[in-house]
Each structure stands twice: as structure tokens, then as C-alpha cells.
Amino acid sequence: MRFGQLRLSSRRALVAASVAVIASGLAAVAVSQAHAASGCTVAYQVQNDWGAGATVNLTITNNDPAITSWTVGFAFPSGQTVTNGWNATYTQTGANVTAASLSYNGSLATGASTSTGFNLADSGTNTAPTTFTLNGQTCNGGGNPPPTTNPPTTNPPTTNPTTNPPTTNPPTTTPPTTTPSTPPGTHVANPFVGAAAYLNPDYTAEVSGVSGGSLVAKWATGIWMDRKAAIAGGNGRLSLTQQMDNALAKAASGPVTIEIVIYDLPGRDCAALASNGEIPATAAGLTDYENNYITPIASIFSTPKYVNSNLRVVTIIEPDSLPNAVTNPSLPACGTSAPLYEQGIEFALNKLHAINNVYTYVDAAHSAWLGWPSNLPPAGQEFAKVARATTAGFKSIDGFISDTANYTPVTEPFLPNPTMQVGGQNLNSSAFYQFNPFFDEHSYDIALKAQLVADGFPSTIGILIDTSRNGWGGPNRPKALNSTPTTPDTYVAANKIDQRFFRGDWCNQNNAGIGAVPQAQPFGASDAIAAFVWIKPPGESDGDYPTATHSHGDPHCDPNGTNTDNPNGSGNVHPTGSFPGFDIPAGQFFPAEFAQLVANAFPPLS
């Protein structure tokens, strides 16, 4: 699912100031904050707690006169130890910890903030510190909630990275929870808030016994209905009814999300070959899709025992389809398929939205596909066109999802400003970004939401990001800003965490890593992002490629092959960046790639 010919790829509660992790699902985030009337503020945010350790973010605010460097100090109350940190130099003696600024983030004007973070190990008790110092001054007297932040704008950040680069981990706030009085089956604004998540037994069995499998198996992944036969199951896979029954049993004690990928349109994957579907792009194929694929799925979902329960059925609607209708209608296969995509998705939305506890999230590609000014407005218009055609109009769509099965980072921590001048030119003029104003998914999704609202969608529309493979950790990840390069190309190459040769590379990318774990409202309730999700199960292949022994597959998956930036890009030829030494069909588990994704996970999995 995968290669769009227009420039780029089509691929793809709280515990006393500590944390609670919603079992097997999305992590809630707890915040401990020390305040003073003036001087300084330090917010201590537990982003993920796995029992033997945690990931913590510190947001430091200077309320006194400007400073050129800082050192934050605190003491762990329950024997925790820092195992690694970022955006500061960490030192620990006994219980006492200091975090000292680096060369690029030491300057803090009055009222300015910066962030740093670390992983810690503990013995099962992770009580948050209550007192913090900034350059020796105590920031204490807590008890107040975290300060309210303004929602992000639709423009990319303009902060100069030499003085205040963004945190490498997204800021978080405590999400609201669903009230206990919410009746079963109620359609809520954000299905991920206050809900546990269902784990696909097929996938947990797949990774069982594989190195790193236990670190991944505790997080929810998408269940792909990628062919009609997947509804009935077989060949070692559970049927959709069995999955729903399992999830229903888990929902006996409270709300549970189950994530189902709807993916079998006529003429599927029209701009690629790796995931061509089973249904032809014909009128008869559309009838087949409606009668023998969508209708059976909707029939299962509408079973009363599911509808009148705590289940929240999150559907991911047809990855890569409408984006191809936006950018690739000149390709014969896409020109034929695009009207069928529109009609098929209209039918699917009508069937699925009518079921009260089903939530519909339509695929919206990613920043490296629809991010250009020539693509984003037409994309909003295309999505609005399909929504208006449905019986319920804009209400038929709960939200959109970006980066499904792709590799674009949530943030580029050392490249926050695409229009920053290096050598007299904007950074986005580099060959890697090609004047795309969005270097990452977060900034793209903020702009996407603004575009959607302008085209008629309600302001409540939410965006999901698939973070299953966009972490880009490991030894090649930049650890600090390198401000010495003097051209956009060299500056970008030295500082980007996205290690692809070309943003259009999409198939089984070498050196990739798992990204942030699933989490509701990772940037807070006011942000465009409703949740991080893992829709593409880590370690399942994007596709194989033609060889002497078989002719099927996609050449863009060949590690010895190339991608050409055509027809409207630079025309340059790039390596595919695919994982070498393997030729694995789409959807099949790929242990070697899985091991790499775990090893390069960022934040690291524990």
C-alpha cells in the first residue's frame, strides 16, 4: 500500500502525581507539578509506566530574568534510577538527580520554557518527586494543575532551534475520562479516552517467543480485514465474530476499543503493486465490495450484544484510497479506480456510521504525500465531497488517520522550522523536503484539521497518527542539534531523524524503529491529535518484489531497486531503502524486521 506517483509515497485513574496505564491499551498521562509564585516552574509528566520503569518528560519554565544555562535538580522518593535521558546531561548521586542544559537549549528568556526527558527504572513503586530546583532556586509549593496552553496554530513552529528546540517526546496533559454514568453503546467524542484496548490474539501469538515480543504484545494493533475471507477467519486467524466476542468479554468491566481496518476496495492500491486487492475495479466489483464485504462486516458490528455494550469499534477506512484519488488520477489504474473508491467509501460510511458504537476514521495519507500546498486543499475538498454524499453528511466521519503503515516521524525535534534560513535558503528547499512545508505528522495534522474545518467538517473532528514504525531510534538517531552545516541539504542530512534516502521510500524500511506507544490525547485535549495508535502491526511486511522465482510483487520493495521522484518531483533516482536479504509478501510476519523495529524503538520499549 504504497507508492503515490505524485512526488512521494502513498504509504504508507491517576495515581498521586504518578501514572496509570489503561490495561493493554492507551496510556493515560499523569502530571506532577511544582509551582512558585515567581522564579520557576517544573512540570513532571509520566508519559508511560510499564511497572519496572517509566518514561518522564520535564517542562521547565523560567519566570525570572533571562538565563543562558540551567540545571534542574530533584530527588527520587522511592528508589528510582535514571537509565538514559535526552535534551540534557543527567547525573544521579543516590536519590538526587540533576539535569543540565546542552549547548542548544540553555538560553531561557523570562517566561520561556523548554523540555527534557528520561527513562527510569524502579522496583514497582514510582512516586513522583515533589520538589524541584532551577539553578539552585526552589520551585515548590505545588498542588495547582498544570498551566493551560494555547492550541497549536496551523503554521509550522518558528522557534530557532539554536535557542529552544522542541522536546523529542510530545508534551502531554492528563486526558479527561469518560464518566462512569455513560450508558453502554453511547457514541462519545473520543473513543480512546477512558477506554482500555483490545489486543489481537493473532498478533500476540505471532510475536510470542520472538525477541522483544513481550514488549510489543501488550499494546493494541489494528486487525486488518484485507480480504473477504478475513471476515470468516481461517488459516490460523480468528474470524471477525471471534475477535468481537473476545473484545466483548473484556468490555464487561468497562469501555474497550477494538481497531478494525476496512481495506478491500475495488482496484485497491492503484498506484502500487504490493497490496493489490482481490476485487477488480469495475461496477461489478463495487457491487461485490458492497454486498460481500461491507454488508457482512456491518451485520456483525450491528449484533445487539455488541451494540448494547461497552465496546467501541474503531474502524480505519481504506488506507491509500482517497489520497490516490486526489494526486494520481492521471495514472490509468487510479483514474479507473477513483470513482469506485468514492462510492465504496460512501457506502461503507453509511453502513458503519449507522451503528452507534462504531467510529469511522478515514485515511488521510501523510505529510510527505498530501502536505504540499498543491495537494492539501484538494484533499480537503475530496474528503468533504465524499462526506457530503453520505446520508449523515459530515457526521458520518469521526475523524481521519495519518501515517498509516508509514514512517514519517510525529516530530522532527531538530528541524522545527521549515522556513529557517541556512546559507540564504529555506530548509524546506532541501532535496529531501522539496518545498513541502511540513516535515512531520503533527504539524501536517494540525493544518489538515484546519483545512477540513474550512471545508465544512466540525471542529470536533479528530486525527489519529499511526506511530507503529516512525520512531527512528537506534545508533543513527541524532542526539543533539548540529548547527554547523551551511547548506539546506547538509543541515537537513545532519539533523533529521527520518533516516530514509527519500521520503517516497515506503516498503520495509531499513533502520526504522517503533514509535510512541498508543496513547489518547498525547498533546492534550485541545490539540488536533485524538490518539497515537499502532494500526500496522510491527513486523508485518509491506510487500515482496519480483524475482526469478516469482513475478508478482512490487519493485519498490526490492532492496537493490530504486525509486524515481516522478512525475512532478525532482526526477532524481533514490535507493528504495528496503530491508536487505528478505522477500516477504505483504502482511506476513517478518521476524528480522521486527527485531530491528524493537531495537530502534524511540522512546525505547521496556
Side-chain angles (χ1 to χ4, degrees), residues 44-216:
Y44 182 99
Q45 301 166 312
V46 179
Q47 297 182 304
N48 182 22
D49 192 314
W50 52 90
T55 298
V56 176
N57 188 73
L58 296 177
T59 301
I60 304 151
T61 302
N62 173 42
N63 298 317
D64 272 348
I67 56 178
T68 58
S69 64
W70 50 262
T71 299
V72 169
F74 59 89
F76 281 128
S78 53
Q80 303 99 313
T81 57
V82 173
T83 57
N84 66 296
W86 46 89
N87 284 0
T89 299
Y90 282 84
T91 305
Q92 182 169 359
T93 302
N96 298 312
V97 178
T98 60
S101 60
L102 301 176
S103 60
Y104 59 82
N105 65 351
S107 297
L108 287 179
T110 302
S113 299
T114 191
S115 295
T116 175
F118 58 91
N119 288 331
L120 61 82
D122 61 58
S123 59
T125 300
N126 184 24
T127 306
T130 56
T131 302
F132 300 86
T133 61
L134 176 63
N135 291 351
Q137 176 181 349
T138 300
C139 310
N140 60 4
N144 296 323
T148 301
T149 57
N150 292 325
T153 66
T154 58
N155 295 321
T158 56
T159 303
N160 186 335
T162 62
T163 59
N164 188 23
T167 175
T168 55
N169 288 324
T172 56
T173 60
T174 304
T177 58
T178 302
T179 59
S181 60
T182 302
T186 300
H187 197 91
V188 298
N190 184 337
F192 297 95
V193 171
Y198 172 69
L199 306 183
N200 178 6
D202 292 337
Y203 182 67
T204 57
E206 202 165 55
V207 302
S208 177
V210 180
S211 178
S214 61
L215 303 177
V216 175

Side-chain angles (χ1 to χ4, degrees), residues 60 74 97 121 124 126 174-175 191 214 220 233 235 309-310 361 371-372 376 475 479 499:
I60 304 151
F74 59 89
V97 178
N126 184 24
T174 304
S214 61
N235 295 321
S309 74
N310 286 314
Y361 289 85
W372 282 275
L376 187 55
K479 303 298 190 297
Q499 294 165 29

Side-chain angles (χ1 to χ4, degrees), residues 420-490:
M420 189 183 100
Q421 294 266 308
V422 174
Q425 296 178 298
N426 289 354
L427 284 182
N428 66 3
S429 70
S430 65
F432 189 71
Y433 291 115
Q434 299 179 22
F435 296 97
N436 191 316
F438 305 111
F439 288 6
D440 56 52
E441 288 307 285
H442 191 203
S443 60
Y444 164 70
D445 288 335
I446 291 170
L448 171 64
K449 178 170 181 175
Q451 183 67 55
L452 293 167
V453 172
D455 287 319
F457 284 91
S459 60
T460 54
I461 203 79
I463 314 291
L464 311 178
I465 300 178
D466 184 356
T467 59
S468 60
R469 304 188 299 179
N470 69 354
W472 294 108
N476 297 325
R477 182 186 176 96
K479 303 298 190 297
L481 176 72
N482 181 349
S483 61
T484 59
T486 58
T487 68
D489 283 337
T490 56

Side-chain angles (χ1 to χ4, degrees), residues 10 52 196 211 292 345 411 497 587 590:
S10 72
S211 178
N292 300 315
I345 290 176
T411 60
I497 62 168
F590 189 174

